[in-house]
Amino acid sequence: MTQPTPGGLSGSQHGIITGQNGAVHMESTTTAGRILRGIEFARPDGGAPLLLDLYLPVADPARRTGAPHPAVVHFHGGGWRTGERSSLGPTVDGFGLSPIEQLVDAGFVVASADYRLTDTVTFPAQLHDAKAAVRWLRTHAAAYNVDPGRIYAWGDSAGGHLASLVGLTGGSAAFTDDGGTDPADSVAAVVAWYPPTDLVRMGAQARPDAVARADDPGSREALLIGAQPADAPDKARAASPLAYVHAGAPPFLLIHGTADRFVPAAQSAGLAGALEDAGAAVELLLLDGADHMWATPDGSSAAAETATAATLDFLRRQSEH
């Protein structure tokens, strides 16, 4: 597995450029290609702008001239209450594997997007924001040489929850601001690392050594829906990807550690089973002994490397369809 220089920004060149609508963002270069940082893609309710970082591959002479790139929209983790775009969490970032840059090296455009956190709004605002990022990329596909039919969603933890919802509710009227349908927010496949998928059962599935449980007072899940999941099962269900499984779902890759103390592995297994029962394509990879963010007792990056390699392989295969 090819590994770019950790972090990718050491020795990079930087410049400030003005993008569409006058938005100012930072441009830098890495071993993988160019990064356009801080592009505004939405301004919900006229408030603070939501930004994304856009990673563009370098030109590859071996590719067909002018052939558009497949693309991935990435959503960060952090329990919907913290985290930042272009990060996969402190543990994964600390391994220096640079999964985003590995995707760019493989020829993918990657857009890593903000979404509003639970200190300001509750669900479904976060899903509205995630869908807005997909719509922005599809709307600007020609400008960045993106194939609008090969846009995929990927997220870790809370971001995996949002990526799963994006995949399962694409084109649906259920989560559009105006109540209409909008196929521009659809994605062709989903990768989710250790995602919450069933907020109704999540607390009961927690490991005995769990660091956090969905049913704890003030849990991340409670902050997301504005109520304790046990006290508001309808809200918990409405925020659960499991509730939106259908036969026409895009292909899924779900990756989870069996020793996850934050999001039980049963969350990925349950969604995988439901997708399979519905006749949708799904792959489930359980990494034995891995905790959240691919932490392992020996401190190695082996689980993170396996998850990254599986993600690259899955998205490559999807992009070849």
Side-chain angles (χ1 to χ4, degrees), residues 69-144:
H69 294 274
V72 178
V73 183
H74 171 256
F75 306 107
H76 67 80
W80 308 280
R81 65 179 185 176
T82 186
E84 57 187 19
R85 66 183 186 275
S86 297
S87 171
L88 280 84
T91 302
V92 178
D93 292 348
F95 290 137
L97 300 174
S98 302
I100 289 175
E101 290 186 18
Q102 290 196 47
L103 276 170
V104 178
D105 265 339
F108 290 82
V109 170
V110 179
S112 191
D114 284 340
Y115 52 88
R116 286 170 289 173
L117 303 177
T118 53
D119 59 347
T120 59
V121 291
T122 56
F123 186 85
Q126 293 78 13
L127 179 54
H128 287 159
D129 299 344
K131 286 174 169 284
V134 175
R135 288 195 301 270
W136 182 93
L137 184 59
R138 182 164 279 115
T139 299
H140 295 86
Y144 298 107

